[in-house]
Amino acid sequence: QVQLVESGGGLVQAGGSLRLSCAASECTISDYVMGWFRQAPGKEREFVAAISRSGEITSYADSVKGRFTISRDNARNTVYLQMSSLKSEDTAVYHCASRRGIAVFAIRSSADYWGQGTQVTVSS
């Protein structure tokens, strides 16, 4: 069973930065498109970013474009989300997800595996 474990969340002031990590086990992440999603209290889960298996193709939600960067280290079986210029509206639980296949955009609609999430709180 594939396991995804997020880390790196915390409390940060508006304008600050955080880097989230997602460590995968019981799989080889180079077989998967990887993505980050978030869910704020009282809201539905929303797509944040995705990255192709090789890391050459990335996709971002408009709300984070230019501020967040997704990357991956297949040798370490880990995916990252670098978040900068954080805003209060970025406050949410951030989840890592994986999807077999090659279509980066497909993970926006469904994923095969999910992590438990890490809390990010941005104070204004």
Side-chain angles (χ1 to χ4, degrees), residues 22-38:
C22 171
S25 60
E26 307 303 324
C27 72
T28 301
I29 67 165
S30 57
D31 292 336
Y32 294 85
V33 170
M34 301 297 294
W36 287 95
F37 294 74
R38 65 187 182 187

Side-chain angles (χ1 to χ4, degrees), residues 2-75:
V2 173
Q3 293 189 346
L4 303 174
V5 179
E6 303 93 338
S7 62
L11 174 64
V12 62
Q13 289 189 333
S17 299
L18 279 176
R19 189 176 82 154
L20 305 183
S21 298
C22 171
S25 60
E26 307 303 324
C27 72
T28 301
I29 67 165
S30 57
D31 292 336
Y32 294 85
V33 170
M34 301 297 294
W36 287 95
F37 294 74
R38 65 187 182 187
Q39 187 166 19
K43 295 187 177 181
E44 293 190 354
R45 184 170 60 201
E46 66 173 351
F47 168 78
V48 175
I51 188 167
S52 64
R53 295 189 301 181
S54 66
E56 292 181 352
I57 300 171
T58 57
S59 175
Y60 296 94
D62 288 342
S63 59
V64 307
K65 202 171 292 184
R67 299 188 298 121
F68 291 11
T69 302
I70 188 171
S71 61
R72 65 193 296 160
D73 185 341
N74 288 342

